[in-house]
Amino acid sequence: MADFKPRPGTFLPYLEASQRKSSTQSDAPVSPLSLLTILGRQSQQSLPIFDLQTLGGMQPSRYGEALKSLKDAGYIAIEGDAPEQTVRLTASGAQVVQLARPA
């Protein structure tokens, strides 16, 4: 293995693909608060559950944890039956969004 040498021209495509992948991921971590902010921007203050996940850019497990914590805190309500569930911002969730806005 000590004499292993990569073929010429194989590392650059790998490096470019790796950089593209990392540049598509957001630099700022997505938090449950960002989900509240997304809901607060909507005219009805609600979104279908999978649309919110897409806009939030969270991985499914992290998204599920965020929804659970927000629901347990009373900031969101999840309405309807799967898979057409809707996430709605509650009154206390709307207050949090307003308090979190920059002055």
Side-chain angles (χ1 to χ4, degrees):
M1 279 282 183
D3 57 54
F4 173 76
K5 293 182 183 173
R7 291 179 305 160
T10 58
F11 184 70
L12 185 60
Y14 167 78
L15 184 60
E16 289 172 343
S18 176
Q19 287 176 340
R20 275 195 306 271
K21 183 178 179 184
S22 66
S23 69
T24 59
Q25 296 173 347
S26 175
D27 290 338
V30 181
S31 70
L33 181 59
S34 61
L35 295 178
L36 292 179
T37 304
I38 292 168
L39 287 171
R41 287 190 217 132
Q42 307 304 311
S43 60
Q44 299 292 320
Q45 293 192 332
S46 66
L47 276 172
I49 198 162
F50 294 115
D51 291 353
L52 180 59
Q53 181 182 4
T54 301
L55 291 173
M58 288 183 159
Q59 295 297 324
S61 61
R62 175 111 167 88
Y63 180 65
E65 292 169 5
L67 287 182
K68 183 179 181 336
S69 68
L70 292 171
K71 183 178 177 189
D72 291 348
Y75 297 147
I76 63 168
I78 300 175
E79 303 168 336
D81 297 322
E84 288 99 23
Q85 291 176 315
T86 301
V87 181
R88 181 182 51 82
L89 192 62
T90 63
S92 58
Q95 288 177 339
V96 169
V97 171
Q98 286 205 333
L99 291 172
R101 284 193 182 134

Coordinates of all heavy atoms in Angstrom, one line a residue:
M1 N 0.8 -1.2 0.0 CA 0.0 0.0 0.0 C 0.8 1.3 0.0 O 0.4 2.3 -0.4 CB -0.9 0.0 1.2 CG -2.2 -0.8 1.1 SD -3.2 0.2 0.1 CE -4.7 -0.7 0.0
A2 N 2.1 1.2 0.5 CA 2.9 2.4 0.5 C 3.2 2.9 -0.8 O 3.5 4.1 -1.0 CB 4.2 2.0 1.3
D3 N 3.2 2.1 -1.9 CA 3.5 2.5 -3.2 C 2.3 2.9 -4.0 O 2.3 3.1 -5.2 CB 4.3 1.5 -3.9 CG 3.6 0.2 -4.0 OD1 2.5 0.1 -4.5 OD2 4.2 -0.8 -3.7
F4 N 1.1 3.0 -3.3 CA -0.1 3.4 -4.0 C 0.0 4.8 -4.6 O 0.4 5.7 -3.8 CB -1.3 3.3 -3.1 CG -2.6 3.8 -3.7 CD1 -3.3 3.1 -4.7 CD2 -3.1 5.0 -3.3 CE1 -4.4 3.6 -5.2 CE2 -4.3 5.5 -3.9 CZ -4.9 4.8 -4.8
K5 N -0.4 5.0 -5.8 CA -0.4 6.3 -6.4 C -1.7 6.5 -7.2 O -2.1 5.6 -8.0 CB 0.8 6.5 -7.4 CG 2.1 6.5 -6.7 CD 3.3 6.7 -7.7 CE 4.6 6.6 -7.0 NZ 5.7 6.7 -7.8
P6 N -2.4 7.6 -6.9 CA -3.7 7.8 -7.6 C -3.4 8.0 -9.1 O -2.4 8.6 -9.5 CB -4.3 9.0 -7.0 CG -3.2 9.6 -6.2 CD -2.2 8.6 -6.0
R7 N -4.4 7.6 -9.9 CA -4.3 7.9 -11.3 C -4.3 9.4 -11.6 O -5.1 10.1 -10.9 CB -5.4 7.3 -12.1 CG -5.3 5.8 -12.1 CD -6.5 5.2 -12.9 NE -7.7 5.7 -12.3 CZ -8.9 5.7 -12.9 NH1 -9.0 5.2 -14.1 NH2 -9.9 6.2 -12.3
P8 N -3.6 10.0 -12.5 CA -3.6 11.4 -12.8 C -5.0 11.8 -13.2 O -5.7 11.1 -13.9 CB -2.6 11.6 -13.9 CG -1.8 10.4 -13.9 CD -2.6 9.3 -13.3
G9 N -5.5 12.9 -12.6 CA -6.8 13.5 -13.0 C -8.0 13.0 -12.3 O -9.1 13.3 -12.6
T10 N -7.8 12.1 -11.3 CA -8.9 11.6 -10.5 C -9.3 12.4 -9.3 O -10.4 12.3 -8.8 CB -8.7 10.1 -10.1 OG1 -7.5 10.0 -9.3 CG2 -8.5 9.2 -11.3
F11 N -8.3 13.1 -8.8 CA -8.6 13.8 -7.5 C -9.4 15.1 -7.8 O -10.3 15.5 -7.0 CB -7.3 14.1 -6.8 CG -7.6 14.8 -5.4 CD1 -8.1 14.1 -4.4 CD2 -7.3 16.1 -5.2 CE1 -8.4 14.7 -3.2 CE2 -7.6 16.7 -4.0 CZ -8.1 16.0 -3.0
L12 N -9.1 15.8 -8.8 CA -9.8 17.1 -9.1 C -11.3 16.9 -9.3 O -12.0 17.7 -8.6 CB -9.2 17.8 -10.3 CG -9.7 19.2 -10.6 CD1 -9.5 20.1 -9.5 CD2 -9.0 19.7 -11.9
P13 N -11.8 16.0 -10.0 CA -13.3 15.8 -10.1 C -13.9 15.5 -8.7 O -14.9 16.0 -8.4 CB -13.5 14.7 -11.1 CG -12.2 14.7 -11.9 CD -11.1 15.1 -11.0
Y14 N -13.2 14.7 -7.9 CA -13.7 14.4 -6.6 C -13.7 15.7 -5.8 O -14.7 16.0 -5.1 CB -12.8 13.4 -5.9 CG -13.0 13.3 -4.4 CD1 -14.1 12.5 -4.0 CD2 -12.2 13.9 -3.5 CE1 -14.4 12.4 -2.6 CE2 -12.4 13.8 -2.2 CZ -13.5 13.1 -1.7 OH -13.8 13.0 -0.4
L15 N -12.7 16.5 -5.8 CA -12.6 17.7 -5.0 C -13.7 18.7 -5.5 O -14.4 19.3 -4.6 CB -11.2 18.3 -5.2 CG -11.0 19.6 -4.3 CD1 -11.1 19.3 -2.8 CD2 -9.6 20.1 -4.6
E16 N -13.9 18.8 -6.8 CA -15.0 19.7 -7.3 C -16.4 19.3 -6.8 O -17.2 20.1 -6.4 CB -14.9 19.8 -8.8 CG -13.7 20.6 -9.3 CD -13.5 20.5 -10.8 OE1 -14.2 19.6 -11.4 OE2 -12.8 21.3 -11.3
A17 N -16.6 18.0 -6.9 CA -17.9 17.5 -6.4 C -18.1 17.7 -4.9 O -19.2 18.0 -4.5 CB -18.0 16.0 -6.8
S18 N -17.1 17.5 -4.2 CA -17.1 17.7 -2.7 C -17.4 19.2 -2.4 O -18.2 19.5 -1.5 CB -15.8 17.3 -2.1 OG -15.8 17.5 -0.7
Q19 N -16.8 20.1 -3.1 CA -17.0 21.5 -2.9 C -18.4 21.9 -3.3 O -19.0 22.7 -2.6 CB -16.0 22.3 -3.6 CG -14.6 22.2 -3.0 CD -13.5 23.0 -3.8 OE1 -13.7 23.2 -5.0 NE2 -12.4 23.3 -3.1
R20 N -18.9 21.4 -4.4 CA -20.3 21.7 -4.8 C -21.3 21.2 -3.8 O -22.2 21.9 -3.4 CB -20.6 21.0 -6.1 CG -20.2 21.8 -7.4 CD -20.9 21.2 -8.6 NE -20.6 19.8 -8.8 CZ -19.6 19.3 -9.5 NH1 -18.7 20.1 -10.0 NH2 -19.5 18.0 -9.6
K21 N -21.0 20.0 -3.2 CA -21.9 19.5 -2.2 C -21.9 20.3 -1.0 O -23.0 20.7 -0.4 CB -21.5 18.1 -1.9 CG -22.5 17.4 -0.8 CD -22.0 16.0 -0.6 CE -23.0 15.4 0.5 NZ -22.5 14.0 0.8
S22 N -20.7 20.8 -0.5 CA -20.7 21.6 0.7 C -21.2 23.0 0.5 O -21.7 23.6 1.4 CB -19.2 21.6 1.2 OG -18.4 22.3 0.3
S23 N -21.1 23.5 -0.8 CA -21.6 24.9 -1.0 C -23.1 24.9 -1.1 O -23.7 25.9 -0.9 CB -21.0 25.4 -2.3 OG -21.4 24.8 -3.4
T24 N -23.7 23.7 -1.4 CA -25.2 23.7 -1.5 C -25.8 23.7 -0.1 O -27.0 24.1 0.1 CB -25.7 22.5 -2.3 OG1 -25.3 21.3 -1.7 CG2 -25.3 22.6 -3.8
Q25 N -25.1 23.2 0.9 CA -25.6 23.2 2.2 C -25.4 24.6 2.8 O -24.4 25.3 2.6 CB -24.8 22.2 3.1 CG -25.0 20.8 2.6 CD -24.1 19.8 3.4 OE1 -23.2 20.2 4.0 NE2 -24.4 18.5 3.2
S26 N -26.4 25.0 3.6 CA -26.4 26.3 4.2 C -25.3 26.5 5.2 O -25.0 25.6 5.9 CB -27.8 26.6 4.8 OG -27.7 27.8 5.5
D27 N -24.6 27.6 5.2 CA -23.6 27.9 6.2 C -24.2 28.1 7.6 O -23.6 27.7 8.6 CB -22.8 29.1 5.8 CG -21.9 28.9 4.6 OD1 -21.6 27.7 4.3 OD2 -21.6 29.9 3.9
A28 N -25.3 28.7 7.6 CA -26.0 28.9 8.9 C -26.8 27.7 9.3 O -27.6 27.2 8.5 CB -26.9 30.2 8.8
P29 N -26.7 27.2 10.5 CA -27.4 26.1 10.9 C -28.9 26.4 11.0 O -29.3 27.5 11.4 CB -26.9 25.7 12.3 CG -26.2 27.0 12.8 CD -25.8 27.7 11.6
V30 N -29.7 25.5 10.6 CA -31.2 25.7 10.6 C -31.7 25.3 11.9 O -31.3 24.2 12.5 CB -31.8 24.8 9.5 CG1 -33.3 25.0 9.5 CG2 -31.3 25.2 8.1
S31 N -32.5 26.2 12.5 CA -33.0 25.9 13.9 C -34.5 25.9 13.9 O -35.1 26.3 12.9 CB -32.5 27.0 14.8 OG -33.2 28.2 14.5
P32 N -35.1 25.4 15.0 CA -36.5 25.4 15.0 C -37.1 26.8 14.9 O -38.1 27.0 14.3 CB -36.8 24.9 16.4 CG -35.7 23.9 16.7 CD -34.5 24.6 16.1
L33 N -36.3 27.8 15.4 CA -36.8 29.2 15.2 C -36.9 29.6 13.7 O -37.8 30.3 13.4 CB -35.8 30.2 15.9 CG -36.2 31.7 15.8 CD1 -37.5 31.9 16.5 CD2 -35.1 32.5 16.5
S34 N -36.0 29.1 12.9 CA -36.1 29.4 11.5 C -37.4 28.8 10.9 O -38.0 29.4 10.0 CB -34.9 28.9 10.7 OG -34.8 27.5 10.8
L35 N -37.9 27.7 11.4 CA -39.2 27.1 10.9 C -40.3 28.1 11.3 O -41.2 28.3 10.5 CB -39.4 25.7 11.5 CG -38.4 24.6 11.1 CD1 -38.8 23.3 11.8 CD2 -38.4 24.5 9.6
L36 N -40.2 28.6 12.5 CA -41.3 29.6 12.9 C -41.2 30.8 12.0 O -42.3 31.3 11.7 CB -41.1 30.0 14.4 CG -41.3 28.9 15.5 CD1 -41.0 29.5 16.8 CD2 -42.7 28.4 15.4
T37 N -40.1 31.3 11.7 CA -39.9 32.4 10.8 C -40.5 32.2 9.4 O -41.2 33.0 8.9 CB -38.4 32.8 10.7 OG1 -37.9 33.1 12.0 CG2 -38.3 34.1 9.9
I38 N -40.3 31.0 8.9 CA -40.8 30.6 7.6 C -42.3 30.6 7.7 O -43.0 31.2 6.8 CB -40.3 29.2 7.2 CG1 -38.8 29.3 6.8 CG2 -41.1 28.7 6.0 CD1 -38.1 28.0 6.6
L39 N -42.9 30.0 8.7 CA -44.4 30.0 8.9 C -44.9 31.5 9.0 O -46.0 31.8 8.5 CB -44.8 29.2 10.1 CG -44.7 27.7 9.9 CD1 -44.9 27.0 11.2 CD2 -45.6 27.2 8.9
G40 N -44.2 32.3 9.8 CA -44.6 33.7 10.0 C -44.7 34.5 8.7 O -45.4 35.5 8.6
R41 N -43.9 34.1 7.7 CA -43.9 34.8 6.4 C -45.0 34.5 5.5 O -45.3 35.2 4.5 CB -42.6 34.6 5.7 CG -41.4 35.3 6.3 CD -40.2 35.1 5.3 NE -39.0 35.0 6.1 CZ -38.1 34.0 5.9 NH1 -38.2 33.2 4.9 NH2 -37.0 34.0 6.7
Q42 N -45.7 33.4 5.8 CA -46.8 32.9 5.0 C -48.1 33.7 5.3 O -48.3 34.0 6.4 CB -47.1 31.4 5.2 CG -45.8 30.5 5.1 CD -45.1 30.7 3.7 OE1 -45.8 30.6 2.7 NE2 -43.8 30.9 3.8
S43 N -48.9 33.9 4.2 CA -50.1 34.7 4.4 C -51.1 34.0 5.4 O -51.7 34.7 6.2 CB -50.8 35.0 3.1 OG -51.1 33.7 2.5
Q44 N -51.2 32.7 5.3 CA -52.1 32.0 6.2 C -51.4 31.5 7.5 O -52.0 30.8 8.3 CB -52.7 30.7 5.5 CG -53.5 31.1 4.3 CD -54.8 31.8 4.7 OE1 -55.4 31.4 5.6 NE2 -55.1 32.8 3.9
Q45 N -50.1 31.8 7.6 CA -49.2 31.3 8.7 C -49.3 29.8 8.9 O -49.3 29.3 10.0 CB -49.6 32.0 10.0 CG -49.2 33.5 10.0 CD -49.3 34.1 11.4 OE1 -50.0 33.7 12.2 NE2 -48.5 35.2 11.5
S46 N -49.4 29.1 7.7 CA -49.4 27.6 7.8 C -48.8 27.1 6.4 O -48.8 27.9 5.4 CB -50.8 27.1 8.0 OG -51.6 27.4 6.9
L47 N -48.3 25.9 6.5 CA -47.8 25.3 5.3 C -48.0 23.8 5.4 O -48.0 23.2 6.5 CB -46.3 25.5 5.1 CG -45.8 26.8 4.5 CD1 -44.3 26.9 4.7 CD2 -46.2 26.8 3.0
P48 N -48.1 23.1 4.2 CA -48.1 21.6 4.3 C -46.8 21.2 4.9 O -45.7 21.8 4.7 CB -48.2 21.2 2.8 CG -48.9 22.3 2.2 CD -48.4 23.6 2.9
I49 N -46.8 20.1 5.7 CA -45.7 19.6 6.5 C -44.4 19.4 5.6 O -43.3 19.7 6.1 CB -46.1 18.4 7.3 CG1 -45.1 18.2 8.5 CG2 -46.2 17.2 6.5 CD1 -45.6 17.3 9.6
F50 N -44.6 18.8 4.4 CA -43.4 18.5 3.6 C -42.9 19.8 2.9 O -41.7 19.9 2.7 CB -43.7 17.4 2.6 CG -44.0 16.1 3.3 CD1 -45.2 15.5 3.2 CD2 -42.9 15.5 4.0 CE1 -45.4 14.3 3.8 CE2 -43.2 14.2 4.6 CZ -44.4 13.6 4.6
D51 N -43.8 20.7 2.6 CA -43.3 22.0 2.1 C -42.4 22.8 3.1 O -41.4 23.4 2.7 CB -44.5 22.9 1.6 CG -45.2 22.3 0.4 OD1 -44.7 21.3 -0.1 OD2 -46.3 22.8 0.1
L52 N -42.9 22.7 4.4 CA -42.1 23.4 5.4 C -40.7 22.8 5.5 O -39.7 23.5 5.7 CB -42.8 23.4 6.7 CG -42.1 24.0 7.9 CD1 -41.8 25.5 7.6 CD2 -43.0 23.9 9.2
Q53 N -40.6 21.4 5.4 CA -39.3 20.8 5.5 C -38.4 21.2 4.4 O -37.3 21.4 4.6 CB -39.5 19.2 5.5 CG -38.2 18.5 5.6 CD -38.3 17.0 5.6 OE1 -39.4 16.5 5.4 NE2 -37.2 16.3 5.7
T54 N -39.0 21.3 3.2 CA -38.2 21.7 2.0 C -37.7 23.1 2.2 O -36.5 23.4 1.9 CB -39.1 21.6 0.7 OG1 -39.5 20.2 0.6 CG2 -38.3 22.0 -0.5
L55 N -38.6 24.0 2.6 CA -38.1 25.4 2.8 C -37.1 25.5 3.9 O -36.2 26.4 3.9 CB -39.3 26.3 3.0 CG -40.3 26.5 1.9 CD1 -41.5 27.3 2.3 CD2 -39.6 27.2 0.7
G56 N -37.3 24.7 5.0 CA -36.4 24.8 6.1 C -35.0 24.2 5.8 O -34.0 24.5 6.5
G57 N -35.0 23.2 4.9 CA -33.7 22.6 4.5 C -33.1 21.7 5.6 O -31.9 21.5 5.6
M58 N -34.0 21.1 6.4 CA -33.5 20.2 7.5 C -33.5 18.8 7.0 O -34.4 18.4 6.2 CB -34.4 20.4 8.7 CG -34.3 21.6 9.5 SD -35.4 21.5 10.9 CE -34.6 22.8 11.9
Q59 N -32.7 18.0 7.6 CA -32.7 16.6 7.4 C -33.9 16.0 8.1 O -34.4 16.6 9.1 CB -31.4 15.9 8.0 CG -30.2 16.3 7.4 CD -30.1 15.9 5.9 OE1 -30.6 14.8 5.6 NE2 -29.6 16.7 5.0
P60 N -34.5 14.9 7.7 CA -35.8 14.4 8.2 C -35.7 14.2 9.8 O -36.7 14.6 10.4 CB -36.0 13.1 7.5 CG -35.3 13.3 6.2 CD -34.1 14.2 6.5
S61 N -34.7 13.6 10.3 CA -34.7 13.4 11.7 C -34.6 14.7 12.5 O -35.3 14.8 13.5 CB -33.5 12.5 12.1 OG -32.3 13.1 11.7
R62 N -33.8 15.6 12.1 CA -33.7 16.9 12.7 C -35.0 17.7 12.6 O -35.4 18.3 13.6 CB -32.6 17.7 12.1 CG -32.4 19.1 12.6 CD -31.2 19.3 13.5 NE -30.9 20.7 13.7 CZ -31.4 21.4 14.7 NH1 -32.2 20.8 15.6 NH2 -31.1 22.6 14.9
Y63 N -35.7 17.6 11.5 CA -36.9 18.2 11.2 C -38.0 17.7 12.2 O -38.8 18.4 12.8 CB -37.4 18.0 9.8 CG -38.7 18.7 9.4 CD1 -38.9 20.0 9.4 CD2 -39.7 17.9 9.0 CE1 -40.1 20.6 9.1 CE2 -40.9 18.4 8.6 CZ -41.1 19.8 8.7 OH -42.3 20.4 8.3
G64 N -38.0 16.4 12.3 CA -39.0 15.7 13.2 C -38.8 16.2 14.7 O -39.8 16.5 15.4
E65 N -37.5 16.3 15.1 CA -37.2 16.7 16.5 C -37.7 18.2 16.6 O -38.2 18.6 17.7 CB -35.7 16.6 16.7 CG -35.2 15.2 16.8 CD -33.7 15.1 16.8 OE1 -33.0 16.1 16.9 OE2 -33.2 13.9 16.8
A66 N -37.4 19.0 15.6 CA -37.8 20.4 15.7 C -39.3 20.6 15.8 O -39.8 21.4 16.6 CB -37.2 21.2 14.5
L67 N -40.0 19.8 15.0 CA -41.5 19.9 15.0 C -42.0 19.5 16.4 O -42.9 20.1 17.0 CB -42.1 19.0 13.9 CG -42.0 19.5 12.5 CD1 -42.8 18.5 11.6 CD2 -42.6 20.9 12.4
K68 N -41.4 18.4 16.9 CA -41.9 17.9 18.2 C -41.6 19.0 19.3 O -42.5 19.3 20.1 CB -41.2 16.6 18.6 CG -41.6 16.0 19.9 CD -40.9 14.7 20.2 CE -41.3 14.1 21.5 NZ -41.9 14.8 22.5
S69 N -40.4 19.6 19.3 CA -40.1 20.6 20.3 C -41.0 21.8 20.2 O -41.5 22.4 21.2 CB -38.7 21.0 20.3 OG -38.3 21.7 19.2
L70 N -41.3 22.3 19.0 CA -42.1 23.4 18.7 C -43.6 23.1 19.1 O -44.3 24.0 19.7 CB -42.1 23.9 17.3 CG -40.7 24.5 16.8 CD1 -40.7 24.7 15.3 CD2 -40.4 25.8 17.6
K71 N -44.1 21.9 18.8 CA -45.4 21.5 19.2 C -45.6 21.4 20.7 O -46.6 21.9 21.2 CB -45.8 20.2 18.5 CG -47.2 19.8 18.7 CD -47.5 18.5 18.0 CE -49.0 18.1 18.3 NZ -49.3 16.8 17.9
D72 N -44.6 20.8 21.3 CA -44.6 20.7 22.8 C -44.6 22.0 23.5 O -45.2 22.2 24.6 CB -43.5 19.8 23.3 CG -43.6 18.3 22.9 OD1 -44.7 17.9 22.4 OD2 -42.6 17.6 23.0
A73 N -43.9 23.0 22.9 CA -43.9 24.3 23.5 C -45.1 25.1 23.2 O -45.3 26.2 23.7 CB -42.6 25.1 23.0
G74 N -46.0 24.6 22.3 CA -47.2 25.4 21.9 C -47.0 26.4 20.9 O -47.9 27.3 20.7
Y75 N -45.9 26.4 20.1 CA -45.7 27.4 19.1 C -46.3 27.0 17.8 O -46.5 27.9 16.9 CB -44.2 27.6 18.9 CG -43.5 28.2 20.2 CD1 -42.2 27.8 20.5 CD2 -44.2 29.0 21.1 CE1 -41.6 28.3 21.6 CE2 -43.5 29.5 22.2 CZ -42.3 29.2 22.5 OH -41.6 29.7 23.6
I76 N -46.5 25.7 17.5 CA -47.1 25.3 16.3 C -48.2 24.3 16.6 O -48.2 23.7 17.7 CB -46.1 24.7 15.3 CG1 -45.5 23.4 15.9 CG2 -45.1 25.6 14.8 CD1 -44.7 22.5 14.9
A77 N -49.1 24.1 15.6 CA -50.1 23.1 15.7 C -50.0 22.3 14.4 O -49.9 22.9 13.3 CB -51.5 23.6 15.9
I78 N -50.1 21.0 14.5 CA -50.1 20.1 13.3 C -51.5 19.6 13.1 O -52.1 18.9 14.0 CB -49.1 19.0 13.5 CG1 -47.7 19.6 13.7 CG2 -49.1 18.1 12.2 CD1 -46.6 18.5 13.9
E79 N -52.1 19.9 12.0 CA -53.5 19.6 11.7 C -53.6 18.7 10.5 O -52.8 18.7 9.6 CB -54.3 20.9 11.5 CG -54.2 21.9 12.6 CD -54.7 23.3 12.3 OE1 -54.7 23.6 11.1 OE2 -55.0 24.0 13.2
G80 N -54.7 17.9 10.6 CA -55.0 17.0 9.4 C -54.4 15.6 9.6 O -53.7 15.3 10.6
D81 N -54.6 14.8 8.6 CA -54.1 13.4 8.6 C -52.9 13.3 7.6 O -52.9 14.0 6.6 CB -55.2 12.5 8.1 CG -56.4 12.5 9.1 OD1 -56.2 12.6 10.3 OD2 -57.6 12.4 8.6
A82 N -52.0 12.4 8.0 CA -50.9 12.1 7.1 C -51.4 11.6 5.8 O -52.3 10.8 5.8 CB -49.9 11.1 7.8
P83 N -50.8 11.9 4.7 CA -49.6 12.7 4.5 C -50.0 14.2 4.2 O -49.1 15.0 3.8 CB -49.0 12.1 3.3 CG -50.1 11.6 2.5 CD -51.2 11.2 3.5
E84 N -51.2 14.6 4.3 CA -51.7 16.0 4.0 C -51.7 16.9 5.2 O -52.5 17.8 5.3 CB -53.0 16.0 3.4 CG -53.1 15.4 1.9 CD -53.5 14.0 1.9 OE1 -54.2 13.6 2.8 OE2 -53.1 13.3 0.9
Q85 N -50.8 16.6 6.2 CA -50.8 17.4 7.4 C -50.3 18.8 7.1 O -49.5 19.0 6.2 CB -49.9 16.8 8.5 CG -50.5 15.5 9.0 CD -49.6 14.8 10.0 OE1 -48.4 14.7 9.8 NE2 -50.1 14.4 11.2
T86 N -50.8 19.7 7.9 CA -50.5 21.1 7.8 C -49.9 21.6 9.1 O -50.4 21.3 10.2 CB -51.7 22.0 7.4 OG1 -52.2 21.5 6.2 CG2 -51.3 23.5 7.2
V87 N -48.8 22.4 9.0 CA -48.2 23.0 10.2 C -48.7 24.4 10.3 O -48.5 25.2 9.4 CB -46.7 22.9 10.2 CG1 -46.1 23.5 11.5 CG2 -46.2 21.5 10.0
R88 N -49.3 24.8 11.4 CA -49.9 26.1 11.6 C -49.2 26.8 12.8 O -49.0 26.2 13.8 CB -51.4 26.1 11.9 CG -52.1 27.4 12.1 CD -53.5 27.3 12.4 NE -53.9 26.4 13.4 CZ -53.8 26.7 14.7 NH1 -53.4 27.9 15.1 NH2 -54.1 25.8 15.6
L89 N -48.9 28.1 12.6 CA -48.3 28.9 13.6 C -49.3 29.3 14.6 O -50.4 29.7 14.2 CB -47.6 30.1 13.0 CG -46.7 31.0 13.8 CD1 -45.5 30.2 14.3 CD2 -46.3 32.2 13.0
T90 N -49.1 29.1 15.9 CA -50.1 29.5 16.9 C -49.8 30.9 17.3 O -48.9 31.5 16.9 CB -50.0 28.6 18.2 OG1 -48.7 28.8 18.8 CG2 -50.2 27.1 17.8
A91 N -50.7 31.5 18.2 CA -50.6 32.8 18.6 C -49.3 33.0 19.4 O -48.5 34.0 19.2 CB -51.8 33.2 19.5
S92 N -48.9 32.1 20.2 CA -47.7 32.2 21.0 C -46.5 32.1 20.0 O -45.4 32.7 20.2 CB -47.6 31.2 22.1 OG -47.7 29.9 21.7
G93 N -46.6 31.2 19.0 CA -45.5 31.1 18.0 C -45.3 32.4 17.3 O -44.2 32.8 17.0
A94 N -46.4 33.1 16.9 CA -46.4 34.4 16.2 C -45.7 35.4 17.1 O -44.9 36.2 16.6 CB -47.8 34.8 15.8
Q95 N -45.9 35.3 18.4 CA -45.2 36.3 19.3 C -43.7 36.0 19.4 O -42.9 37.0 19.4 CB -45.8 36.1 20.8 CG -47.2 36.7 20.9 CD -47.7 36.4 22.3 OE1 -47.3 35.6 23.0 NE2 -48.7 37.2 22.7
V96 N -43.3 34.8 19.3 CA -41.9 34.4 19.3 C -41.3 35.0 18.0 O -40.2 35.5 18.1 CB -41.7 32.9 19.4 CG1 -40.3 32.5 19.2 CG2 -42.1 32.4 20.8
V97 N -41.9 34.8 16.9 CA -41.4 35.3 15.6 C -41.2 36.8 15.7 O -40.2 37.3 15.3 CB -42.3 34.9 14.5 CG1 -41.9 35.6 13.2 CG2 -42.3 33.4 14.3
Q98 N -42.2 37.5 16.3 CA -42.1 39.0 16.4 C -40.9 39.4 17.3 O -40.2 40.3 17.0 CB -43.4 39.6 16.8 CG -44.4 39.6 15.8 CD -45.5 40.7 16.0 OE1 -45.7 41.1 17.1 NE2 -46.1 41.1 14.9
L99 N -40.8 38.7 18.4 CA -39.7 39.0 19.3 C -38.3 38.7 18.7 O -37.3 39.4 19.1 CB -39.9 38.2 20.6 CG -41.0 38.6 21.5 CD1 -41.2 37.7 22.7 CD2 -40.9 40.1 22.0
A100 N -38.3 37.7 17.9 CA -37.0 37.3 17.3 C -36.6 38.2 16.1 O -35.4 38.1 15.7 CB -37.1 35.9 16.8
R101 N -37.5 39.0 15.6 CA -37.1 39.9 14.4 C -36.1 40.9 14.9 O -36.2 41.5 15.9 CB -38.4 40.5 13.9 CG -39.2 39.6 13.1 CD -40.3 40.4 12.3 NE -41.1 39.4 11.6 CZ -42.4 39.5 11.5 NH1 -43.1 40.4 12.1 NH2 -43.1 38.5 10.8
P102 N -35.2 41.2 14.0 CA -34.2 42.3 14.3 C -34.9 43.6 14.4 O -35.9 43.9 13.6 CB -33.2 42.3 13.2 CG -33.7 41.3 12.2 CD -34.9 40.6 12.7
A103 N -34.5 44.5 15.2 CA -35.1 45.8 15.5 C -34.9 46.7 14.3 O -34.1 46.6 13.5 CB -34.6 46.4 16.7

